[in-house]
Structure formats: C-alpha cells, structure tokens
Amino acid sequence: MISNIITSVITGDIIKSRAQTNPEVWIKALKNALSSLSADKAYWEIYRGDSFQIEIKDICSSFMAAIYIKACIKSIQGLDVRLAIGIGNKTYEGEHVTESNGEAFIFSGETLETLKKEKQNLRIKTNHSEINHELNLYFKLALISMDSWTVNLAEIVKLGIERPDELQSELGKLIGINQNAVSTRQKRAHLDEIKELDLMYRKKINALT
C-alpha cells in the first residue's frame, strides 16, 4: 500500500483501429509513443487490442503527454485517439499499470467511458470541479483544431514535441521540407496556441498540489 502520492493517468483507445488493414503500423506507433513517455514498461500497457493506459508521474506534463500520443496516432492516415486524463491520489501500485489503483486511475477510466458516449476525444477529471470545468472547455476549443490535423500537421506537432529546442530548418531536414513549410504547418496545427494552453494547464494543475 502507498498513500499521499498524487499522480496522473491517461487512459485511451484508438478510433477506427479496426478499419486498418495493417494494425501493426499503429501498434508500433503507439508503443513508441508510450515508451518515449515512460521508459519503464511497468507504467504503461496496451490491452484489449486497441486500448491503453499510462501513468505520468509528473502531473503537470500530462496534457502535453496526451497531445504527443494524439500527434503520433494522427500521423497515421485515418486514425485518431480518445484520451482521458485522471489526476488524483495513488493508493496501490501493481506490477502493471492496469493493476494499480487510486483516484487518478478511477477518474481516468470513468472519463474514457464518458468520452465514448459524448463522442469527444480529450477530457480531464480531478477532484476539483472548477478546474475540470475550465480545462475541459479549453480542451473542447483546442479539439476544433487538433481533431482536424492532417497526417502532415500531426507529424510536425510530433517532431516539435520530441525536439523542442531544434530550429524549424533542422526539423524540416528530418522530413525533407524547408523552413517555411515547417512554419506554415506549425501555424496550421496551432502549435503555439497548444503550447500556451500547456502553460495554463501546468499552472492550474500545479495549484492542485
């Protein structure tokens, strides 16, 4: 048993996964995304084919972790992902993340079910209703852009999160486009606004502790 540990959990599932003729493509992309966020496989798991869960111990990083997973999956044509963030205490740590328990795990699991019913792709639940309401409104607005990302836009967001200190020209070399094209794609993906939202998120979540 453990107590008084505040953590964050992202539970998600792949949208339209069964329409993919080659599931290995998105499974590999999902595994790469989760292992990038947590090198220790005890803190993430893929289950029931297209569902997954990951614990993000740095609770302030959980929004950008969710955005990274979304960008990785939307880099594959025809796919998207539902993501439910839960933040709260952790009362039990199992050998695998899906065996652990506490508010964060319950909130995340419950919220994913809500997302399925409401056909929304990102939501958070904490034990602070005002913060939930405010952040979920921001998420709804952000999803207007993020749900419309093309493969190219998702790819540039993914690269920008992976390599935050690299110049646009350096990012462009990695995918064979020039600096202007990188800038255009980042603007169309609203990457600067997402980063602003991340700063707001960190401030709100930090207040919980």
Side-chain angles (χ1 to χ4, degrees):
M1 291 288 289
I2 53 180
S3 59
N4 298 324
I5 293 175
I6 303 298
T7 193
S8 62
V9 175
I10 300 172
T11 308
D13 62 2
I14 308 297
I15 300 169
K16 296 181 181 176
S17 62
R18 291 173 190 174
Q20 289 288 307
T21 53
N22 184 9
E24 280 193 26
V25 174
W26 66 259
I27 290 172
K28 183 179 179 183
L30 180 58
K31 283 183 177 178
N32 288 342
L34 297 175
S35 59
S36 292
L37 294 170
S38 175
D40 189 341
K41 198 176 180 304
Y43 293 104
W44 61 266
E45 188 172 347
I46 300 170
Y47 58 96
R48 283 199 321 231
D50 61 359
S51 299
F52 60 90
Q53 190 168 73
I54 182 167
E55 181 180 353
I56 306 291
K57 292 185 177 182
D58 176 7
I59 62 173
C60 293
S61 298
S62 49
F63 170 70
M64 199 51 87
I67 299 308
Y68 180 66
I69 295 169
K70 187 175 182 75
C72 289
I73 297 303
K74 282 191 73 71
S75 295
I76 302 165
Q77 186 67 46
L79 288 184
D80 204 342
V81 61
R82 269 182 289 261
L83 296 155
I85 304 171
I87 295 180
N89 66 21
K90 181 179 182 179
T91 54
Y92 176 77
E93 181 163 330
E95 287 186 24
H96 304 285
V97 67
T98 50
E99 297 169 3
S100 296
N101 208 344
E103 283 177 338
F105 298 87
I106 294 167
F107 288 164
S108 183
E110 287 176 349
T111 302
L112 184 64
E113 295 307 311
T114 302
L115 287 177
K116 290 177 183 177
K117 291 173 187 171
E118 296 186 359
K119 299 195 184 309
Q120 192 178 325
N121 291 341
L122 177 64
R123 197 175 178 94
I124 186 171
K125 185 174 182 181
T126 72
N127 56 16
H128 196 294
S129 59
E130 282 186 27
I131 286 178
N132 295 345
H133 180 75
E134 186 174 351
L135 288 177
N136 284 323
L137 176 58
Y138 296 149
F139 289 176
K140 274 187 180 180
L141 295 170
L143 285 167
I144 295 170
S145 167
M146 297 190 298
D147 283 348
S148 301
W149 283 343
T150 61
V151 169
N152 285 342
L153 298 187
E155 181 183 44
I156 211 68
V157 172
K158 175 178 176 288
L159 274 179
I161 294 172
E162 288 173 343
R163 302 164 182 264
D165 300 322
E166 290 200 9
L167 299 172
Q168 290 177 337
S169 56
E170 294 170 333
L171 295 176
K173 286 176 185 175
L174 294 170
I175 52 175
I177 60 175
N178 62 31
Q179 182 267 327
N180 284 340
V182 172
S183 177
T184 299
R185 289 183 188 183
Q186 287 183 341
K187 284 175 183 173
R188 285 176 57 206
H190 294 97
L191 184 56
D192 284 346
E193 288 83 357
I194 289 166
K195 288 178 178 177
E196 284 185 52
L197 178 50
D198 181 51
L199 291 175
M200 169 68 76
Y201 181 89
R202 290 172 181 273
K203 185 177 178 182
K204 296 286 182 186
I205 297 305
N206 203 39
L208 290 173
T209 59

